[in-house]
Amino acid sequence: MTDNADLSALIRTIPDYPKPGILFRDVSTLLLDGRGFRQTIDRMAALVAPDTQLIAGIEARGFIVAAGLSYALGLGKLMLRKPGKLPGEKIGIDYQLEYGTDRIELHTGQVKPGQKVVLVDDLIATGGTALAGIDLIRQAGGVVEQALFIVDLPELGGAEKLRGIGVEPTALIGFEGH
């Protein structure tokens, strides 16, 4: 993580959401600030490995970050979607969340074998969604060695789990607590 105090100041904290004791880090306030969002995308784009071929974003806020990075870098964008959103042939994976279970899917044939993909999302907490996204991209034949996030909640251990499977996670901002 680098010092991005200017961006950190634009992220709202909502106490006791979605349950008591949780400090929800709301990036929507950062997205509302045009200059802050542009700086976020520029700083993340500078971190993307030069041999990257595709940017993968996880629905929903990850789509916003991935679209900005795809545009800035001139790379295609892969959408990892929630169930029932993709009309064509697809593969999917079920995974555990901090508060339950979920599923993400992608269209088959969108990732070429050996294609280098960077996974992006707004935030990494326990890592469940990111791990599922990486597994899904790898099942489709992609190579994932890097993941980028606006926010990391290091106490929840998600970034460490990504390192454990050979993916280097980088976040612009870290917040203590969860």
Side-chain angles (χ1 to χ4, degrees), residues 82-94:
K82 294 184 180 186
K85 305 286 186 175
L86 297 173
E89 185 179 332
K90 59 195 159 285
I91 60 171
I93 188 168
D94 297 313

Side-chain angles (χ1 to χ4, degrees), residues 2 9 22 52 59 74 87 116 122 124 126 140 151 165:
T2 58
I22 301 296
T52 298
E59 190 170 348
K116 185 111 180 242
D122 65 319
I124 183 163
T126 61
V151 173
I165 62 163

Side-chain angles (χ1 to χ4, degrees), residues 75-132:
L75 298 173
K77 179 187 169 303
L78 177 66
M79 297 185 295
L80 304 181
R81 307 267 349 235
K82 294 184 180 186
K85 305 286 186 175
L86 297 173
E89 185 179 332
K90 59 195 159 285
I91 60 171
I93 188 168
D94 297 313
Y95 63 97
Q96 289 294 126
L97 288 170
E98 190 174 354
Y99 310 107
T101 61
D102 211 344
R103 179 176 178 83
I104 54 174
E105 301 173 337
L106 64 80
H107 275 131
T108 57
Q110 290 191 327
V111 179
K112 294 176 181 71
Q115 193 169 28
K116 185 111 180 242
V117 182
V118 169
L119 180 79
V120 300
D121 205 355
D122 65 319
L123 181 140
I124 183 163
T126 61
T129 305
L131 289 165

Side-chain angles (χ1 to χ4, degrees), residues 52-55 67-77:
T52 298
Q53 298 171 291
L54 199 58
I55 305 292
L69 285 173
S70 294
Y71 175 79
L73 297 168
L75 298 173
K77 179 187 169 303

